Amino acid sequence: MGYIQKTRSILKCVLCFPIMLGVFYFTSPSLRLLIGLLPMDKCSLESGKMLNLDNSVDATLDLWSRRDVQTCTSWKAPIIWEGMFDPDLYDQMHKKEGTSVALTVFAVGRYLEEYLEVFLNSSEQHFMLGLPVSYYVFTDMPEKVPEIRLGPERSLQVIKVERHSRWQDISMMRMKTILDVIESDIRHHCTHVFCFDVDQVFSGRFGSEALGDSVALLHAYYYRIPKKLFTYDRNPKSKSYMGTGDFYYHAAVFGGSWKSVKALTEACYQNIMEDKQNNVEALWHDESHLNKYFWLHKPSRVLSPEYCWDTSIGYRSDIRVTRLLWAPKHYDTLRTP
């Protein structure tokens, strides 16, 4: 009997170790620095021509210009890093094809005054320059949305939404809101959609090289750590349950063609509602459901953490440019009623 109890104790320690290491990783700058030295998997393809192409220009991607990082997935989708692409080629192609982009962002409660103006002004400096862009700002206080000086072929629409008492509900219900506006408006005007969290600041080119049929983003905190430390939802009662996966994706940025984003938001919303009916809430809310969706429906394009970086991680030699930065978080005040 003593042997069995001892064995169980050892197993518990083994199972808890990844969780404890994960907590230490997020709280220890020195460990984050060491994690940055871990090697990534390498792309198995010899050239961009062997990719499952989102467009003709993808064939020009130089997969071996970045030997320090993983530049393609196992299903032959590109992972976009600085140095792999010629931005002019992408811009010329998308202008010729008449590409237009919708940007959705939620600014509810204190998030509006804290982040929205800086987010929109920085977007005007860096996001999809040269292409038509339609902003869709969802807020509970339309009268407080700041006036932004927009460039040519750029417009802004403010849509009033209900403010939920719990920030978790705001996070999860955005899937339904995005789904509805794609169906009622975006699909008639735009070819692509990008969905952003508002507590971010554009800091460099976030251009047409990021456009694809289905676009996911590598989470800045997870792209180099072992998969066993990924915080997938391990609750089998949730529709977001995952025993394993490919990468850990960040829900702060996702996008694609309007049809693909419509399919994603519809599936995530349905799964969220099924969980609610069963009194279950996913570990990381809509992000858990997003990861499950991309596990079942592989993205055709993956963005490197350049496209959403947190400077508190510290120096990483593989992050040669930053295109979007996490803004300072003040959850203690922003997430209180």
Side-chain angles (χ1 to χ4, degrees), residues 30-42:
S30 58
L31 182 57
R32 291 200 297 267
L33 182 62
L34 292 175
I35 290 292
L37 301 177
L38 293 177
M40 297 183 73
D41 290 339
K42 291 297 183 281

Side-chain angles (χ1 to χ4, degrees), residues 14-239:
V14 171
L15 291 172
C16 288
F17 178 73
I19 298 174
M20 294 167 61
L21 186 58
V23 172
F24 185 48
Y25 168 59
F26 281 101
T27 57
S28 171
S30 58
L31 182 57
R32 291 200 297 267
L33 182 62
L34 292 175
I35 290 292
L37 301 177
L38 293 177
M40 297 183 73
D41 290 339
K42 291 297 183 281
C43 181
S44 62
L45 305 181
E46 294 181 2
S47 75
K49 295 178 181 179
M50 301 175 70
L51 292 165
N52 287 325
L53 303 178
D54 251 337
N55 53 68
S56 59
V57 178
D58 280 351
T60 68
L61 287 171
D62 188 348
L63 302 178
W64 290 99
S65 65
R66 294 296 305 270
R67 296 177 180 271
D68 54 332
V69 292
Q70 184 176 350
T71 57
C72 75
T73 69
S74 61
W75 59 93
K76 300 181 181 181
I79 303 176
I80 306 299
W81 295 86
E82 173 69 9
M84 287 176 55
F85 61 90
D86 182 337
D88 292 335
L89 291 180
Y90 280 100
D91 289 347
Q92 291 167 12
M93 178 198 69
H94 282 286
K95 287 178 182 177
K96 184 177 180 180
E97 293 185 352
T99 298
S100 54
V101 185
L103 183 158
T104 72
V105 64
F106 286 72
V108 177
R110 296 186 179 96
Y111 279 76
L112 190 155
E113 293 182 353
E114 185 75 19
Y115 297 117
L116 183 61
E117 186 170 7
V118 173
F119 174 86
L120 291 174
N121 279 325
S122 66
S123 176
E124 278 298 287
Q125 297 298 315
H126 301 292
F127 181 74
M128 301 295 166
L129 299 185
L131 294 179
V133 172
S134 300
Y135 296 101
Y136 292 81
V137 177
F138 301 97
T139 180
D140 58 329
M141 298 180 289
E143 69 280 1
K144 291 189 176 182
V145 173
E147 289 190 14
I148 304 297
R149 185 175 181 179
L150 300 176
E153 295 189 290
R154 297 169 84 93
S155 63
L156 188 150
Q157 186 175 156
V158 179
I159 301 172
K160 187 171 183 178
V161 294
E162 177 186 356
R163 181 182 180 183
H164 297 272
S165 58
R166 298 170 65 246
W167 68 265
Q168 295 93 334
D169 292 325
I170 296 172
S171 174
M172 290 189 290
M173 294 309 293
R174 71 170 176 159
M175 292 295 184
K176 178 65 164 64
T177 306
I178 294 170
L179 170 64
D180 289 344
V181 78
I182 289 175
E183 178 60 33
S184 65
D185 192 288
I186 290 176
R187 70 188 186 95
H188 302 294
H189 306 291
C190 299
T191 59
H192 293 75
V193 185
F194 258 103
C195 308
F196 289 90
D197 284 353
V198 72
D199 50 351
Q200 307 178 103
V201 181
F202 289 91
S203 58
R205 173 190 166 94
F206 198 119
S208 59
E209 74 283 349
L211 295 170
D213 183 59
S214 175
V215 184
L217 167 76
L218 295 184
H219 198 296
Y221 277 86
Y222 292 92
Y223 74 106
R224 279 193 178 270
I225 68 173
K227 285 185 180 182
K228 64 177 68 175
L229 295 180
F230 289 177
T231 54
Y232 296 138
D233 193 331
R234 310 292 185 177
N235 179 7
K237 294 182 180 179
S238 174
K239 294 292 290 183

Side-chain angles (χ1 to χ4, degrees), residues 185-313:
D185 192 288
I186 290 176
R187 70 188 186 95
H188 302 294
H189 306 291
C190 299
T191 59
H192 293 75
V193 185
F194 258 103
C195 308
F196 289 90
D197 284 353
V198 72
D199 50 351
Q200 307 178 103
V201 181
F202 289 91
S203 58
R205 173 190 166 94
F206 198 119
S208 59
E209 74 283 349
L211 295 170
D213 183 59
S214 175
V215 184
L217 167 76
L218 295 184
H219 198 296
Y221 277 86
Y222 292 92
Y223 74 106
R224 279 193 178 270
I225 68 173
K227 285 185 180 182
K228 64 177 68 175
L229 295 180
F230 289 177
T231 54
Y232 296 138
D233 193 331
R234 310 292 185 177
N235 179 7
K237 294 182 180 179
S238 174
K239 294 292 290 183
S240 66
Y241 167 77
M242 293 176 65
T244 187
D246 302 306
F247 302 98
Y248 190 85
Y249 301 113
H250 196 176
V253 180
F254 62 93
S257 67
W258 70 259
K259 289 183 179 179
S260 290
V261 178
K262 181 176 182 289
L264 181 156
T265 53
E266 185 171 27
C268 288
Y269 171 68
Q270 290 174 349
N271 289 334
I272 288 169
M273 295 309 296
E274 187 169 335
D275 272 2
K276 287 177 75 72
Q277 291 172 1
N278 295 324
N279 294 316
V280 176
E281 189 168 282
L283 177 64
W284 294 113
H285 315 105
D286 59 341
E287 186 167 272
S288 295
H289 290 283
L290 180 97
N291 271 274
K292 179 63 173 289
Y293 183 86
F294 280 136
W295 167 239
L296 298 175
H297 309 274
K298 310 297 189 192
S300 65
R301 196 175 210 79
V302 178
L303 303 181
S304 71
E306 299 167 357
Y307 289 84
C308 189
W309 184 248
D310 183 5
T311 55
S312 67
I313 292 173

